[in-house]
Amino acid sequence: MEIAARTTFFLLFVNLIFAHRATVSGAATLNGGVILNLQSLVGKMARTSILMAMEDFYVVHGNYTTKIVLHIRDSNADNVQAASEAVDLLENYNVRAIIGPQKSSEATFVSDLGNKSQVPVISFTATSPTLSSGSVPYFLRATLGDVAQVNCIAALIKGYGWREVVPIYEDTDYGRGIIPYLVDALQEFGASIPYRSAIPVSASNYQLEQELYKLMTMQTRVYIVHMSSSIASTLFTKAKELGMMSEMYAWIVTDGIANIINSINPSILDAMNGALGVKFYVPKSKELDDFTTRWNTRFKQDYPNDPPSQLGTFGLWGYDAIWALAQAAEKVSKVDDIFHKQHHRKNSTRFGTMGTSTIGPKLLDEILHNKFRGLSGDFDLENRQLQPSIFQIINVVGRGSQEIGFWTEKHGIIRQLDQNGSKITNVNSMPDLNPVIWPGELYVVPKGWQIPTDGKKLRVGVRTSGYPEFMKMERDPITSAITATGYAIDVFEEVLKRLPYAITYEYVAFDNADSGIYNDFVYQVHLGVYDAAIGDITIGYNRTSYADFTVPYTESGVAMIVPVKDGTNKNAWVFLKPLTTDLWFGSIAFFIYTGIVIWLLERRINNAELTGSFFRQLGIAIYFSFFADRERVDSILSRLVVIVWVFVLLVITSSYTANLSSILTVQQLQPTETDVHELIKKGEYVGYHNGSYVGDLLEELDFDRRKVRAYETSDDFADALSKGSKNGGIAAVIHEVPYIKIFLSKHCKGYTMVGPIYKSEGFGFAFPKRSPMVNDFSRTILSITEGDAIIQIEKKWIGDQHACQNDGAIASPSSLNFKSFSGLFLVTAVASTSALLIALVMLLYKNKHKIRNSISRVQTQGGYGSEHANRQNQERELDYNQAQSMQVIVPNDPEDGTCQQEIEICIEFASPGSEVKPSPDFAPREAPGNSLLCNDKSA
């Protein structure tokens, strides 16, 4: 009472000072009301900030024309009290604006009063989304609504891989308002809320304990706390006493608590150690640092008996709200400021006679359009509330908090911001956030769920499979206990061994196992009969609508089982098969080319073998290509070509012989059918396992239902395949790959697998929708299937996969193609062409003088101009005459050789253009010295 009296006296003193200053300065006054819970931490914090805002504004704006006079009232956390104070302020003090109230439930009623009297109501602490309705246009929220933070919380849930969360909230408008939006946000990120824990404001410690005990019996271990700090303090204290602030648990507090986390009692912070929180991010500035220092001093003066507190975001929003109101008041004319009173009517209530403010609409409009940079950041109420901004993610550690990251609407969770809080410096997934110390002082992320502590066992549904190798279920006739064995059971129990926690379980038999319908078996999980269903359960699309599946632990796909036949080729033209067509033609082309090269090289040196007609010589040259090692070649270049060609011929011949031998001798087991669509065209009968979804698949593939037969066991399949489609059996079995492996392990000879012909997801374990165990089981299954454990399990139940020699069709030897010998052909082509070019160069070099003379003659005949034509004719005539008159003395030598040479010399003296025509009467005559004259006829 003494503190309250002091507070009242101080407020009256401040109001008198402001009124005096207003009177002295001649400024107009504008009454404003403030409604807070002055007994709460937020109320005390806001009151100090509001008073400092009034002082700071009028110190900065010394030439003000309108002075705001505040009337502060205490709601005492009571909705009726808050409404009563608002009515008193409106009727008796004619306030033109109301700051507050503090709680959302109080603001709901006060906002209606403001709307009726046209008085703006500005609350910086009421965050309930229900207050955002357009039906109360005079209500302004100088803070962020709770809706703004739900996406940040949902992003945290998704980042850490949690599938289920439980909200713990106070049962008020403030607590309930966020839940619908939180549910939607979590569903969008793939998480759900299996239970909602509503805590009454008047809940006793015993009631809180009972609620926490109830939460401990559930699987979910992730909690979102959305309540006032007073109730949250008791909640966390009790949770620590019950061991719920330890490993396996994760706690997230909303901004209502996180914004004042550093002002909470240290003993409460110890209980909250390890919790995460989201709060509004306030950018740092020098003005904020200076104000924080002054605020700490002022708060100690205002509340000397209270423990030290740190300035929270609500205090900053209160400060900025006062500045927004003061700036708007400066722009509103006070000339027509009248508070119209309603006429008193009989039987009317007190609210019915409430007046309306004439400057209210103008004042509201100025506040909505007033934008400035406040201590909390950008202050803008154009949309009647502050706009979503950046949220800071904190971790409660020791007796304080540390920053681990941020969240923005545009970029999601990020690690750091630049100084302006607008540029991303590191964007990545959750592991890149700063390290988090979780409850129990651990750095390992809690998995978010745990088997309940009430001793309940995990009920695992089992059933006997058509293939006992996968699962066989037996019931003890005395104890009725269920035992199960098989491939699926070994995988399931191996998963349980590798989980980082223990699970107690019991097998529960599927009562309708005789029906053979696996869809009904899986649907029992959805109905809650089983907590899980295991076995040879195919992961199908239709089943995912009512159950969640782990990753598959077997191979996937649907294939065919068909008989095999001896595919040895007995065709009359089988000798052509070792080589492909391109290799045959390529070899022939190089045969011909090599023969032509050898013919050209040997023709140059007059090989005795190359005589006769052209076609005979060409045939002999090509014959060289086939039997070059048996024929004589004289040229060195020809021998080089032959050596290279013999090597190429040897390689091709050897390869041809080996491949032909393989084709003729190796037994090739080929499937009788290779295409499922051919079975449909031929109208063949096919089989499938009874109760399998493959029956529906065959209908989708347009199989005639009369041509589809269901069987139970692998022996039934073998018997039907052996008969054949025309003898009352089937031509193929359409089955899943894991089952085919078991079939081939028993019936190795005579059958093979073709496919897969259709994609499927394999076998998995079924859990209820959004079960938290799915992720843990899936990760563990991956560790099993990627190691040696799955191989040992397969050998135990299926056998050695490589023991059967015809579990797949033996591929026939493939024909040799041109590409396989392209290197050899390139070598022989280079050798032959090079030899041909070398021979050509040698020929040109040997006859270079004759070529040069021929070139000179051609140039001489065509190189003279028309101006020398006459001179050339004269010279030719003179030379001709000289040749006619020339006499050669021949000695008495009986040999004609000398005369022949001399005659040739005579001819050379003749003109190149003239023709020597011997005269008929030209005869040797006796010359002096007994010499003879040669005539042309002797030549």
Side-chain angles (χ1 to χ4, degrees):
M1 295 296 295
E2 182 179 353
I3 296 177
R6 256 189 223 175
T7 302
T8 304
F9 175 77
F10 178 78
L11 293 176
L12 291 174
F13 179 72
V14 170
N15 288 338
L16 287 174
I17 292 177
F18 285 162
H20 176 70
R21 289 183 59 183
T23 304
V24 172
S25 61
T29 61
L30 187 146
N31 291 321
V34 178
I35 303 176
L36 298 170
N37 179 13
L38 298 178
Q39 310 305 317
S40 66
L41 176 62
V42 173
K44 295 177 181 179
M45 185 185 299
R47 176 184 171 279
T48 300
S49 298
I50 287 173
L51 294 177
M52 293 181 66
M54 290 290 297
E55 297 171 4
D56 293 348
F57 181 83
Y58 290 114
V59 167
V60 175
H61 303 84
N63 57 344
Y64 58 87
T65 59
T66 302
K67 181 71 174 183
I68 295 179
V69 178
L70 293 181
H71 305 273
I72 301 178
R73 297 291 185 266
D74 187 3
S75 67
N76 202 23
D78 183 81
N79 297 342
V80 177
Q81 179 69 23
S84 178
E85 296 294 344
V87 172
D88 179 62
L89 290 171
L90 291 171
E91 285 198 339
N92 300 326
Y93 292 89
N94 294 333
V95 294
R96 300 303 188 268
I98 296 178
I99 305 297
Q102 184 173 325
K103 295 171 57 179
S104 296
S105 57
E106 299 169 355
T108 301
F109 188 74
V110 174
S111 62
D112 289 334
L113 296 177
N115 195 48
K116 184 177 181 61
S117 59
Q118 297 185 1
V119 172
V121 177
I122 309 172
S123 177
F124 52 87
T125 54
T127 59
S128 175
T130 58
L131 292 170
S132 300
S133 174
S135 60
V136 282
Y138 279 85
F139 174 78
L140 304 177
R141 195 201 312 270
T143 180
L144 296 178
D146 289 331
V147 179
Q149 62 181 320
V150 295
N151 287 331
C152 175
I153 297 172
L156 278 174
I157 301 299
K158 179 184 179 182
Y160 286 114
W162 297 320
R163 300 291 300 275
E164 290 185 349
V165 296
V166 172
I168 307 175
Y169 57 95
E170 65 176 56
D171 196 9
T172 62
D173 291 344
Y174 164 69
R176 294 187 297 267
I178 194 176
I179 298 302
Y181 302 94
L182 184 62
V183 170
D184 293 342
L186 291 174
Q187 287 180 348
E188 184 177 350
F189 283 95
S192 62
I193 297 178
Y195 176 74
R196 305 178 186 184
S197 178
I199 307 297
V201 178
S202 59
S204 63
N205 291 345
Y206 175 77
Q207 290 176 311
L208 276 176
E209 287 183 1
Q210 293 302 309
E211 184 64 22
L212 292 176
Y213 275 125
K214 184 177 181 180
L215 294 176
M216 292 175 65
T217 63
M218 302 178 183
Q219 287 187 353
T220 307
R221 292 291 182 265
V222 182
Y223 307 113
I224 299 175
V225 180
H226 182 64
M227 55 182 57
S228 61
S229 59
S230 58
I231 304 177
S233 300
T234 306
L235 175 73
F236 279 103
T237 302
K238 291 298 179 182
K240 185 174 181 62
E241 292 176 1
L242 298 178
M244 298 179 69
M245 298 303 298
S246 59
E247 59 178 330
M248 308 295 292
Y249 289 89
W251 297 79
I252 301 176
V253 297
T254 59
D255 63 348
I257 303 172
N259 283 333
I260 58 171
I261 197 72
N262 293 323
S263 299
I264 296 178
N265 190 293
S267 61
I268 305 301
L269 289 178
D270 287 338
M272 297 175 61
N273 194 16
L276 297 181
V278 295
K279 68 176 186 177
F280 179 80
Y281 171 70
V282 178
K284 297 180 180 180
S285 64
K286 184 178 182 302
E287 294 78 9
L288 178 60
D289 293 339
D290 295 340
F291 177 76
T292 302
T293 302
R294 294 190 296 114
W295 186 91
N296 291 333
T297 303
R298 180 66 173 270
F299 189 83
K300 291 179 182 178
Q301 295 174 357
D302 293 345
Y303 305 99
N305 297 327
D306 288 359
S309 297
Q310 296 186 23
L311 178 63
T313 310
F314 291 121
L316 298 178
W317 282 329
Y319 184 94
D320 291 341
I322 292 297
W323 274 64
L325 177 60
Q327 291 174 359
E330 288 292 307
K331 300 177 182 180
V332 176
S333 175
K334 293 286 293 178
V335 176
D336 299 326
D337 183 15
I338 302 174
F339 209 88
H340 289 294
K341 293 288 185 178
Q342 299 289 338
H343 296 290
H344 179 74
R345 291 176 296 181
K346 186 178 181 180
N347 298 327
S348 65
T349 62
R350 184 179 181 185
F351 302 128
T353 59
M354 189 177 299
T356 57
S357 173
T358 56
I359 65 169
K362 179 64 175 177
L363 185 63
L364 175 65
D365 185 68
E366 292 295 339
I367 295 174
L368 290 175
H369 292 87
N370 186 18
K371 303 176 183 179
F372 62 95
R373 182 75 174 179
L375 293 179
S376 62
D378 294 330
F379 195 88
D380 180 9
L381 298 180
E382 183 176 4
N383 293 328
R384 302 184 185 277
Q385 67 176 7
L386 288 182
Q387 300 307 302
S389 184
I390 301 172
F391 278 93
Q392 186 178 17
I393 305 172
I394 62 172
N395 180 207
V396 180
V397 179
R399 298 192 171 187
S401 64
Q402 64 180 14
E403 172 191 298
I404 63 170
F406 301 89
W407 179 90
T408 66
E409 186 176 5
K410 182 178 180 181
H411 303 289
I413 292 179
I414 58 179
R415 187 173 185 177
Q416 293 180 350
L417 300 170
D418 68 354
Q419 294 180 352
N420 297 326
S422 59
K423 182 180 179 182
I424 302 172
T425 58
N426 186 8
V427 180
N428 230 315
S429 57
M430 193 61 56
D432 285 326
L433 289 174
N434 292 324
V436 176
I437 300 178
W438 300 96
E441 298 184 357
L442 299 176
Y443 288 93
V444 180
V445 179
K447 71 176 185 296
W449 68 275
Q450 190 177 20
I451 297 299
T453 59
D454 59 356
K456 179 183 177 182
K457 294 182 179 181
L458 191 72
R459 295 166 299 172
V460 181
V462 294
R463 56 162 292 165
T464 298
S465 170
Y467 289 83
E469 292 84 359
F470 269 100
M471 178 174 287
K472 183 179 181 181
M473 182 268 296
E474 295 179 348
R475 186 189 301 271
D476 191 298
I478 300 176
T479 63
S480 297
I482 302 298
T483 57
T485 58
Y487 186 105
I489 294 297
D490 282 5
V491 174
F492 175 74
E493 293 181 351
E494 182 67 23
V495 170
L496 296 181
K497 292 178 183 178
R498 300 192 180 197
L499 288 176
Y501 46 86
I503 294 180
T504 58
Y505 64 95
E506 62 179 348
Y507 292 129
V508 181
F510 179 45
D511 295 334
N512 297 326
D514 294 337
S515 66
I517 303 301
Y518 274 74
N519 288 338
D520 295 341
F521 178 48
V522 177
Y523 198 73
Q524 302 302 307
V525 177
H526 174 71
L527 298 177
V529 178
Y530 311 134
D531 297 320
I534 64 174
D536 48 345
I537 305 172
T538 303
I539 303 172
Y541 172 76
N542 62 322
R543 295 171 182 172
T544 58
S545 61
Y546 49 82
D548 280 346
F549 288 86
T550 64
V551 296
Y553 63 87
T554 62
E555 293 184 41
S556 61
V558 175
M560 293 194 304
I561 305 174
V562 297
V564 294
K565 62 181 178 179
D566 186 0
T568 303
N569 200 327
K570 299 179 176 63
N571 195 323
W573 299 96
V574 69
F575 67 90
L576 296 175
K577 190 174 181 181
L579 306 182
T580 58
T581 303
D582 59 343
L583 183 55
W584 277 114
F585 283 105
S587 301
I588 294 172
F590 274 93
F591 287 157
I592 297 173
Y593 178 69
T594 304
I596 293 173
V597 171
I598 294 175
W599 176 73
L600 291 174
L601 295 176
E602 293 299 306
R603 186 82 173 85
R604 184 178 62 87
I605 61 174
N606 297 324
N607 189 314
E609 297 290 339
L610 300 176
T611 58
S613 64
F614 169 77
F615 292 103
R616 180 179 181 278
Q617 295 180 31
L618 183 61
I620 294 174
I622 295 175
Y623 182 77
F624 281 162
S625 301
F626 286 95
F627 304 100
D629 56 337
R630 301 180 183 179
E631 299 297 332
R632 181 176 64 84
V633 289
D634 298 331
S635 173
I636 296 177
L637 294 176
S638 298
R639 293 174 182 176
L640 175 63
V641 172
V642 168
I643 290 173
V644 175
W645 177 248
V646 167
F647 175 74
V648 174
L649 200 62
L650 177 63
V651 174
I652 294 177
T653 304
S654 301
S655 301
Y656 173 85
T657 304
N659 203 21
L660 181 61
S661 299
S662 177
I663 292 174
L664 295 176
T665 59
V666 175
Q667 182 186 23
Q668 302 162 35
L669 299 178
Q670 299 290 344
T672 56
E673 302 290 344
T674 58
D675 190 354
V676 67
H677 297 287
E678 287 296 324
L679 294 173
I680 300 175
K681 292 180 180 179
K682 295 178 182 179
E684 301 283 0
Y685 285 90
V686 296
Y688 73 100
H689 187 264
N690 187 26
S692 173
Y693 80 99
V694 175
D696 298 331
L697 171 62
L698 294 176
E699 291 188 14
E700 294 178 5
L701 294 175
D702 294 331
F703 269 95
D704 187 349
R705 298 185 64 179
R706 296 171 297 178
K707 301 289 185 178
V708 177
R709 295 170 176 173
Y711 297 92
E712 294 291 342
T713 65
S714 58
D715 293 334
D716 296 337
F717 285 136
D719 182 63
L721 286 171
S722 63
K723 294 179 180 179
S725 180
K726 297 180 180 180
N727 299 318
I730 55 177
V733 174
I734 312 296
H735 219 348
E736 295 174 79
V737 172
Y739 294 134
I740 293 178
K741 286 186 174 183
I742 296 178
F743 176 88
L744 293 177
S745 67
K746 293 182 178 181
H747 306 277
C748 176
K749 303 301 180 181
Y751 302 101
T752 188
M753 181 179 75
V754 176
I757 61 172
Y758 187 80
K759 178 67 176 175
S760 68
E761 295 299 327
F763 297 160
F765 301 146
F767 288 88
K769 295 291 289 183
R770 295 178 294 276
S771 172
M773 287 187 286
V774 174
N775 287 340
D776 290 345
F777 267 71
S778 295
R779 284 192 293 266
T780 309
I781 288 174
L782 288 177
S783 69
I784 294 174
T785 55
E786 292 175 358
D788 184 65
I790 196 67
I791 298 177
Q792 299 304 322
I793 294 175
E794 286 186 357
K795 286 183 177 180
K796 176 182 177 182
W797 295 103
I798 299 178
D800 189 1
Q801 297 298 303
H802 303 286
C804 186
Q805 297 301 320
N806 63 324
D807 56 352
I810 301 175
S812 61
S814 59
S815 301
L816 303 174
N817 55 28
F818 183 84
K819 187 177 181 181
S820 304
F821 299 94
S822 57
L824 287 174
F825 287 126
L826 178 63
V827 171
T828 185
V830 171
S832 300
T833 305
S834 300
L836 196 61
L837 292 176
I838 292 173
L840 179 62
V841 172
M842 293 174 62
L843 179 63
L844 295 176
Y845 181 78
K846 184 176 180 180
N847 297 282
K848 63 179 181 179
H849 297 291
K850 293 182 179 180
I851 295 173
R852 186 181 303 165
N853 291 336
S854 298
I855 294 173
S856 299
R857 260 178 221 165
V858 172
Q859 291 178 348
T860 302
Q861 291 175 0
Y864 292 98
S866 58
E867 66 273 10
H868 301 290
N870 296 330
R871 183 184 300 176
Q872 290 176 350
N873 292 332
Q874 295 175 2
E875 290 177 354
R876 280 197 295 270
E877 184 177 357
L878 179 61
D879 291 340
Y880 176 75
N881 294 333
Q882 290 177 355
Q884 293 289 335
S885 62
M886 182 174 294
Q887 295 180 353
V888 180
I889 304 298
V890 181
N892 295 327
D893 193 343
E895 298 180 357
D896 295 335
T898 304
C899 183
Q900 177 71 21
Q901 294 175 2
E902 290 177 352
I903 292 173
E904 290 176 356
I905 293 172
C906 293
I907 294 174
E908 288 179 359
F909 276 102
S911 174
S914 63
E915 182 179 357
V916 179
K917 298 182 179 179
S919 176
D921 59 348
F922 186 81
R925 60 185 178 87
E926 190 175 343
N930 198 23
S931 60
L932 296 175
L933 180 62
C934 294
N935 57 23
D936 292 339
K937 183 179 288 188
S938 63

